[in-house]
Each structure stands twice: as structure tokens, then as C-alpha cells.
Amino acid sequence: MAIKTILTEPNKLLRQISKSVEKVGKEEQRLMDDMLETMYSANGIGLAAIQIGIPKRIIVMDISKDENKKEPRYFVNPVIKNKDKLKSTYEEGCLSVPNQFAEIDRPKNCEVEYLDYSGEKKLLKAEGLLATCIQHEMDHLEGILFIDYLSKLKKSMIIKKLSKNKSNRIVV
Ligand code: NI
């Protein structure tokens, strides 16, 4: 396993639409292992492949609160089958939008069809944090970030802040 660099906004790659995976093989499993390790090391609860620059429809997630009881989840080619009309609100952040948070409304429940780590077809009924997290990650596959749901002004302020941080960054 290897820890990869997480891309941050603004970055054109994050706006790319990811491609479906034809089959879950060794290469995809290695990618999922790397993504999970990268996510854990950044203290995130979800990560999409495009966040490490790979435009494949793959997501890893772990929303368990207990450090000692990890519950990794893997979603390949996820598709939302049903969405609730009811919304729930969480204060969201994103590893690709560092240190920025905003309240976002999303459908409270959803049903997701996907392939798991072994390439088996699964259907998951998700609610609460899990449903929100899946929807946030699936947005990444379409090149959408949570800040896209904010007003133009708020969004541009955040991007400006992030760009400024970037120009101050040096690698020596
Ligand atoms: Ni994110």
C-alpha cells in the first residue's frame, strides 16, 4: 500500500468526469488499498479515485468512529437507484477543499448499486451520514465539489483562499 498525494481545488483534474471500471481486478484492488491508506492518513471518511488523480469510478469510505474497529467500504461504479425527497443537512468538508466547511442539504436516504472489493454486485440502503457521504463522494465522480452548492460569492471566496494558500506553498 502507498499513500498518494490528494489533489486540492483549484485543479482541473478534480472537475473531470470519471470513467466506469470494466472489471475489478488486481490493479483496481491495489488502487483501493492505496486510496484507503491515503484516506486514513489524511483523517478523511471518504475518498474518490479522482482525488488522487485517477479518473475511475471508485470510492472508498469508512465512517466508523472507533479507531480500533475499522470498517472500510469500497464502491466501484456506484449508481443511485432511489433518493429520498426528505433532506438532511450536514456540515461538510472535503480532503480536496482543505479547511473549508459548509452546511449542505442532500437527500436523507438513498439506495446505491455498486460492485464491491471482489467485484460482486451489491445494493445498499444508506441513511444519515452514510447516505450523505456516498452522495458527496459520487459527486466527485462527476467533477462536482460540495462548494458548487454554495452561492457564487461564497464559492469564489473559498477558491480564492485556497489559491492563495497554494501560491504560498513551497517544497524544499
Ligand atoms: Ni470530497
Side-chain angles (χ1 to χ4, degrees):
M1 288 205 271
I3 295 172
K4 304 288 184 185
T5 304
I6 297 174
L7 306 177
T8 56
E9 176 79 346
N11 186 314
K12 274 187 188 155
L13 271 174
L14 289 170
R15 299 316 194 156
Q16 203 170 312
I17 294 174
S18 295
K19 292 200 179 80
S20 292
V21 172
E22 276 181 29
K23 96 178 219 304
V24 183
K26 284 248 160 67
E27 194 188 315
E28 287 73 26
Q29 290 178 336
R30 202 172 306 133
L31 170 62
M32 288 190 262
D33 294 341
D34 287 348
M35 285 168 63
L36 197 72
E37 196 182 5
T38 303
M39 183 193 82
Y40 283 141
S41 82
N43 292 318
I45 58 171
L47 190 77
I50 193 62
Q51 292 181 272
I52 57 166
I54 296 168
K56 288 187 178 179
R57 301 186 85 80
I58 298 180
I59 290 165
V60 297
M61 215 178 281
D62 189 340
I63 59 161
S64 66
K65 300 245 165 68
D66 189 349
E67 269 264 335
N68 302 312
K69 219 179 111 207
K70 292 201 160 101
E71 284 172 31
R73 296 171 186 267
Y74 308 90
F75 301 88
V76 178
N77 297 341
V79 178
I80 290 188
K81 290 290 177 186
N82 273 306
K83 271 189 210 181
D84 208 335
K85 282 201 188 92
L86 278 173
K87 305 269 173 153
S88 65
T89 309
Y90 280 91
E91 190 177 26
E92 295 187 22
C94 177
L95 293 175
S96 294
V97 189
N99 305 317
Q100 305 300 318
F101 301 91
E103 288 195 335
I104 308 291
D105 298 334
R106 297 185 189 269
K108 197 176 178 186
N109 303 294
C110 65
E111 262 182 42
V112 194
E113 201 177 79
Y114 62 98
L115 303 175
D116 68 7
Y117 190 84
S118 333
E120 244 178 82
K121 203 173 186 175
K122 292 275 168 76
L123 184 72
L124 175 74
K125 285 185 181 175
E127 57 172 66
L129 176 61
L130 181 60
T132 290
C133 197
I134 287 172
Q135 292 173 69
H136 173 117
E137 297 310 326
M138 284 184 66
D139 274 353
H140 279 298
L141 308 182
E142 305 302 326
I144 299 168
L145 299 173
F146 79 92
I147 52 171
D148 298 347
Y149 297 111
L150 305 176
S151 69
K152 267 192 181 163
L153 182 67
K154 264 193 191 164
K155 182 180 165 182
S156 67
M157 270 167 58
I158 288 176
I159 292 177
K160 213 169 146 190
K161 230 187 262 176
L162 293 171
S163 312
K164 206 169 156 196
N165 291 343
K166 263 191 185 170
S167 62
N168 288 340
R169 188 178 300 157
I170 55 162
V171 180
V172 288

